[in-house]
Amino acid sequence: MKKFLLHTCCAPCSIAVIEELKSQFDVTVFFYNPNIHPQAEYLKRKEQVIKVCTEWNITMVDADYDAERWFDITKGLENEPESGKRCPLCFRMRMDVAAKYAKENNFDIWSSSLTFGRNKKSDVISPIGLSLQEKYGVEYYVEDWKKKGRQERSNQLVCDMNIYRQDYCGCAYSLRDKKLWEINKKQEEK
């Protein structure tokens, strides 16, 4: 069975993907998400990925929480909207670390659950994965994980396993924008 490294951003975005892949590959989940802010939220999301991996006996690699590096990479893009210029840099940073790990640890294939997110575009993420395939020589599995009934399956699994579902993308700026949106909505309702 081929060794498959799946970079995972959170349990809700990866649970249906893991379920699908574990019957076809020797899957290892790779959790590297220094973009998630604050650290308490990062730990909560990581805990849920651990819960899924433990329940299904899937190996999980817990990479470093390198928030300082993430803030350095996204410096100057603080006011970009979600899906703006900041996001591809964030995707590349996390996917590069995953692809390098796949290379160094003799994985046959790697991918990321990032395309599962509702605001995450496969046509932005897949080219990053393919460029990292070239860089590291490990096949990138191209898939838009939000398709083929996987979102419905994810919703069911999240409910069945009582998985925490976050309400913002993860970075400090998406949290800030969510809070601003909530304030504006409350003011409009007055």
Side-chain angles (χ1 to χ4, degrees):
M1 195 176 282
K2 289 187 174 183
K3 288 177 60 180
F4 194 114
L5 186 73
L6 179 67
H7 167 258
T8 301
C9 52
C10 64
C13 286
S14 63
I15 194 167
V17 178
I18 296 167
E19 182 187 52
E20 182 178 321
L21 293 175
K22 70 185 177 90
S23 65
Q24 304 167 47
F25 301 97
D26 175 10
V27 177
T28 297
V29 167
F30 188 80
F31 191 81
Y32 177 67
N33 300 291
N35 59 304
I36 300 173
H37 187 83
Q39 190 170 16
E41 177 71 17
Y42 168 84
L43 293 171
K44 192 183 297 186
R45 293 184 193 196
K46 180 171 78 170
E47 177 185 288
Q48 297 303 293
V49 172
I50 291 169
K51 179 179 179 177
V52 171
C53 291
T54 300
E55 178 81 18
W56 289 346
N57 198 29
I58 301 289
T59 301
M60 181 189 145
V61 175
D62 181 9
D64 291 338
Y65 182 65
D66 190 4
E68 186 176 316
R69 180 171 177 234
W70 183 85
F71 279 108
D72 285 346
I73 285 172
T74 60
K75 189 174 178 120
L77 300 170
E78 297 86 354
N79 294 317
E80 282 290 315
E82 188 172 345
S83 299
K85 293 177 184 176
R86 180 180 63 246
C87 294
L89 294 175
C90 178
F91 302 153
R92 179 171 289 281
M93 175 193 177
R94 294 185 284 159
M95 292 171 72
D96 188 273
V97 171
K100 183 178 182 197
Y101 184 90
K103 172 69 174 179
E104 291 172 349
N105 291 277
N106 302 311
F107 281 85
D108 301 297
I109 306 168
W110 75 282
S111 194
S112 177
S113 65
L114 285 169
T115 62
F116 193 92
R118 69 183 182 279
N119 293 322
K120 310 298 183 284
K121 307 292 186 239
S122 181
D123 62 346
V124 172
I125 295 166
S126 293
I128 294 169
L130 291 170
S131 73
L132 294 169
Q133 171 182 289
E134 258 184 59
K135 179 178 179 181
Y136 292 106
V138 181
E139 179 185 344
Y140 177 74
Y141 192 88
V142 176
E143 186 68 38
D144 189 345
W145 295 113
K146 69 176 96 20
K147 296 185 176 182
K148 301 179 185 175
R150 293 181 188 111
Q151 287 191 324
E152 294 79 10
R153 182 63 183 151
S154 174
N155 289 338
Q156 185 62 53
L157 289 166
V158 164
C159 183
D160 291 349
M161 293 178 73
N162 195 28
I163 298 292
Y164 163 71
R165 183 181 293 276
Q166 63 273 5
D167 61 359
Y168 68 102
C169 179
C171 78
Y173 311 120
S174 66
L175 177 59
R176 173 201 64 204
D177 294 347
K178 175 191 168 286
K179 288 178 179 178
L180 288 173
W181 181 85
E182 289 172 349
I183 290 168
N184 288 335
K185 185 175 179 181
K186 284 180 184 176
Q187 289 175 347
E188 288 174 6
E189 291 172 355
K190 289 181 179 179

